[in-house]
Structures are given as structure tokens and as C-alpha cells.
Amino acid sequence: MVSEAKKKATEDRLSALTLPQGNGWLDAARKDALGRLRAVGLPAKRDEYWRFTDPSALVATAPAVEGAQAAADPFAELDPFVITVDGDAITVPDGAPEGLEIDTLRAASAVDIHWVRDVYGTHEAAGSRPVLRPLAMLNTAYATDGLLLRVKGAVARPVAIRYTPGTDPILHHVVKLEPGASLVLLESGTSGDRSNHVLEADLADDASFHHLRIQGPDDLRHVNTHVFAGLSARSVLKSFTLSANGALTRNEAVIEMTGDDGSATVAGAAFGRGAFHHDDTVFVTHDALNCESRQVFKKVLRDGATGVFQGKILVKEGAQKTDGYQISQSLLLDDDSVFLAKPELEIYADDVACSHGSTTGAIDETALFYLRSRGVSKRDATDMLVLSFLAEALDEIEDEALREHVTARLAGWLAEH
Amino acid sequence: MLKIENLHVKLEEEDKQILKGIDLHVPYGEVHAIMGPNGSGKSTLSYVLSGRDGYEVTEGSAQLEGEDLLDLEPEERAAAGLFLAFQYPVEIPGVGNMTFLRTAVNAQRKARGEEELSAGDFLKAVRAKAKTLKIDSEMLKRPVNVGFSGGEKKRNEILQMAMLEPKMCILDETDSGLDVDAMKLVSEGVNALRGPDRGFLVITHYQRLLDHIKPDVVHIMANGRIVKSGGPELALEVETNGYGDIIGEVA
């Protein structure tokens, strides 16, 4: 039952939006999502998965604050194939890397037969059960554009999506990896004062998808993102997010492992201060044999910042030999900051190894003294220990060059404080 | 060089006096050893001098080259030329040993108004010094002290000391956890740094380290005070008779 208040909040929000017009198949997908959304309503503070994060700024008819800022491209040195997204205006340059077909949702909506038809909204719809993802439903219904990447082989050059701020964008990307295909996708920049992003990733057998995202370092943005990934046999997903600053960030990852011997890693490092509120909500479903999943999340919080982690591993009946791992840790740099964690395991198979842990701690005074006794200032020493704390999450970035690159960015941002 | 006068120190959190009037003067170029039984206050002295939190100086002073140490932050004391080799060097995962060393060296140079070392010059200096301490490039690349053996950690302390070129070096139980070979290596590293412009305070429980690092003066500490000072022969006396006789004699 949707309460009257929720119904009203939902209709208020929808009245400020226009359902984009397009061809039959996309219209149908949008209306399906809209129907699902209306049946459950937009999130409210009392919903089970929103207790730690007040969704009102994400649900309101307009962004609460203005002030999203463009930042220098953190991936420029890696020479990726760059696709720019200015608000919701996508520019795809010529010369796409070999093995990759690039299209946009807007262009695809004009044609009757398109590969994305079988994918768009399907992983989102599957991932909205059993936990509701109403903001993702809203996204599927109202996304004005998005990138459609069809990966047919091993794409050697990384592809980068580079955002610059626009007005309240709703973007829906789809990545479809065919058997044996591989892609490295980078995302960086801020798409708006408030943004709603969905990324659906469809991994066929033996496909490999590395997703590396940097959010920030601007202070005022309100962001909610969803990554929905479906993994077939022997496919590999690695998704890593570095979040620097920002007012409100809710990153959800919903992973379905339906093929045997798959491997999925979702990891993140986040740091912020003051009004910073950062929420990672992760749901990994094991529905096949011998799959491995890892959730590794670290947050550094100061000056009253809030960190949230809600992570779940669901092992379905028959998903034997599952190896599930989950860790969430926070480093609180003062007494005012808060970390809220809700780790969950739900297991219906008897031959599995699943472990989870969550810790909250302060800076190690002995280590701080050790560094300072060598002449390093208190501030620099603290930054070093912050970096040291986040390193374990950064280690989840498999590619050494990428890892070092992200670490250097992070070190630079810490030093700017 | 290092002048400690009537130093009284208590724990900050509880009413417990640890140092009860230490007087100690280490002139330029000399190596002084402090020996004493567990709980005598040896390590506390090293922490108070280097500025660790948790202690309160209730009386007395400590000066390095005439500058009052006790008012300075730990990093300021380091820049002034003080170095403490830790009894238990701290592991810092995720921070490369080289990065750490370079940050420390340049922070001190900057604090002293000197130019920072270029990456090339730094690398050259580290490699030369690491070689004499048998620290290989793999160890330099690894995170600070992570996965190092006891001996490797202590050698790494001496490498830091060699790179930072302090005026006054305090070695806190550097021999603990070392086998004979490691002790020899560490001692050679220390001895190479001995010189007319540098002072050493070697804190140890056992005499054996002093076979390798020959002290000019040996002080015996007990119950927060220096109870006896003398030449190297004092260390041998401890080795033969234990602390009981000396402490009893004074009491």
C-alpha cells in the first residue's frame, strides 16, 4: 500500500517531468517503469532502505541547491576515448575503438529494431526485486538520454564518459558485452546539481567489464546512481567508485550472478566533511554455482560527515560453492562524524563460504606520532594515514596503472584540504 | 648538544610520576647509553624528548642546541634535528616506503628553509644508503614496514636516520628482536653516522648492543632517575652482576 503522502510526493515529482516521446519499444519500456514506480511510490525516510539516508533532496521537484562545479578531467593522462556528456547532451566523437559500437538512447528511440530493446530496463526491473529501487524506476521511465555501448570484442582503449554540469539530468546507460568481450569504462565529472544515473550492464559468457568511476571533488552535488549488472558464466565485473566530497551521494549496486564461475567485485573509497552524506547500498545475488563476489567499501569522515553502508549477499538455493565477501570500514577523524552500517547475509545453500565485517575507528595515534617524529606535519601525516586506510579499497582496482592513477588523484585532493 | 635538567614527567591521564628528576648532558660527538631494568622510565624519556602525547612535564627542561624542545610539536623537534629510532616501528599499509622517506626528508628541509631534494637526487641518496644497510629495492617499494621482519624494521629505522641526518639520535631498544647478524648490520649503520657534530642516546636493556656501538658514557636508570653514570665498564658490570647491586648500592 502506498500512503497518500507518498502518492502525493510521487505525483508532485512526476508533474515536474515530461515523459520523452519515442518509438514503440522504448515507450513501452518507459510506461512499464512508470507503472512500477506508481505502484510503489518514490522513497521516503521511513522506508527500510532509506532509514539512514533522507531521500527528500533526491525526490523533491527541483534540486535543493545549485553550485555543481566542473573539475579537471582526472583521467586525461590515460588517453581514453572520451565521450562528453554536458548535462544530458551527449557528444560521441568519430573513431570509436575497435570492437565497440556506440549509440545513444535518443538516437535509438527513433528506430524500431535495436539491440538495446532487449536490455533497456530489464536488469533494472529484475534488480528492483525484492528491494525496491523507485529512483531507478523513475530513471528508466524518464531518462532523456544515455550511452548505449555494445561490446563485441576485447576493446583495448578505455572509454571515458566525461560529465559537465547541466540541469537535473536523468541519464540511463546500457553496456552489453557479448561473449568473450571486454571493456574498461571510466566515468568522471559532475553531471548536475542533482543527477540520477542508471548503468545497466549485461555480461555474456566470458565477458569482462571494468568500471571505474570518480565522483567529485566538488562539494554541493546531490547524486543518486544505480549500477545493475547481470553476469553470465565465467564473466567478470569489477566496479570501483572514488567519491570525493559532495553533499549527498547514494550509490546503489545490484549484481545478479546467474552463470556459473562468475566473479563480481564492487568497491568504493569515499571521503568528505561537514554536510557530506555518502551511502553505498549493495545487493549481490548468487544464483549459480561457484561464483565469487566481493564488496569492499571504505569511508573517511570528518567534521560531522555521515557515511552509510547497506550491503547484502543473497545466496539462492542451489548456488553451491559460493564465495561471498563483504567488508565496510570507516575512519572517523573526529567525534561528530557518524558511520552507519547494515551488513546482511541471506543464505539458502549449504556449501558456501560467506563472510562479512564492519569496523569504525579513529586515526591510529601511534602511527600519527611515528610520521610526525620523522618531520611530517600533522596534516600531511593525517593525509598519509587516510590514504593508508583507503588503500585496501583501492587495491580492488586490478589494473596497476589505473590504480596508481586514482591513488595519485586522491592524494592530490587530500592535500588540497 | 642535548641538555636535560631536572626533568619530571607524569602520565597525563593518571597521577603517576614516571621521571623524577633526570639530569643528562650529551655533548657533540658523544654516544651515551642508558641502561636500566624494565619500568625504570627509559622509553618514557625517549617519548617525552620526541614529543609523544600522553605525558605531562611537571618540572625541568630539555634543550637541543640551546633550543627548548618541550614546547615544540614532534615534527618541529624532528626539523630541529632530533630523531627517535622506535622500539616498535609502525606499519603503514598503502604508503610506499620511498614516498614516506621522501615526504619526511623534504618536510624537514622545507621546515629548515632548505631547498627540497629533486626526485633524482633523492633516489641516488637512498639507493647508496640502502645498499650499505642491505636494504634491497623491493623493500624500498613496499609499504612502510609492512611484512618486514624485526631486523628489516630496525634496518629501515637506521635508513631513515641516515637519510634525515639528525643531530641527535635516540635509539630506543634498537637491539630488541634482533639476531646477531641483524644487530651487526644495524650497529654498523649507526657507527657510520657517528661524527663530531652528532650525538647519540642509546637506550638498551642489555649490554650486548654496546659491544657493537661503543658508548662514551653509560648511565644507569632506575625508578625515574639516573642512579649512576660511568664509562663503558659500567655496562659490563651490569652484564656480570645485574642491576640489583648498582641500584641497591645507590639506595
Side-chain angles (χ1 to χ4, degrees), chain A residues 230-255:
Chain A
L231 276 75
S232 304
R234 297 170 305 279
S235 61
V236 177
L237 167 75
K238 283 186 177 283
S239 179
F240 179 89
T241 303
L242 170 64
S243 293
N245 309 317
L248 173 62
T249 303
R250 164 90 161 202
N251 290 330
E252 297 195 28
V254 186
I255 315 297

Side-chain angles (χ1 to χ4, degrees), chain A residues 365-367 369-378 384-385 388 391, chain B residues 50 52 73-75 78 83-84 86 93 100 104 107-108 145 157 160:
Chain A
E365 289 296 332
T366 306
F369 172 63
Y370 185 64
L371 295 175
R372 293 178 74 189
S373 79
R374 298 302 180 250
V376 181
S377 71
K378 189 175 180 182
M384 274 182 144
L385 293 176
S388 162
Chain B
S50 50
R52 186 172 185 156
E73 296 293 335
E75 57 269 30
F83 181 90
L84 169 65
F86 279 51
F100 163 57
Q108 291 202 16
N145 292 325
E157 292 292 283
Q160 292 169 27

Side-chain angles (χ1 to χ4, degrees), chain B residues 20-81:
Chain B
K20 302 167 181 171
I22 300 279
D23 287 286
L24 181 69
H25 179 210
V26 183
Y28 287 93
E30 289 194 5
V31 175
H32 286 217
I34 295 188
M35 302 182 72
N38 286 330
S40 57
K42 304 185 302 284
S43 285
T44 296
L45 178 63
S46 74
Y47 288 145
V48 169
L49 291 174
S50 50
R52 186 172 185 156
D53 282 345
Y55 303 99
E56 189 185 330
V57 176
T58 51
E59 218 184 315
S61 67
Q63 294 183 331
L64 184 67
E65 295 192 304
E67 187 177 4
D68 195 349
L69 279 179
L70 301 178
D71 289 341
L72 302 178
E73 296 293 335
E75 57 269 30
E76 293 169 331
R77 299 180 198 208

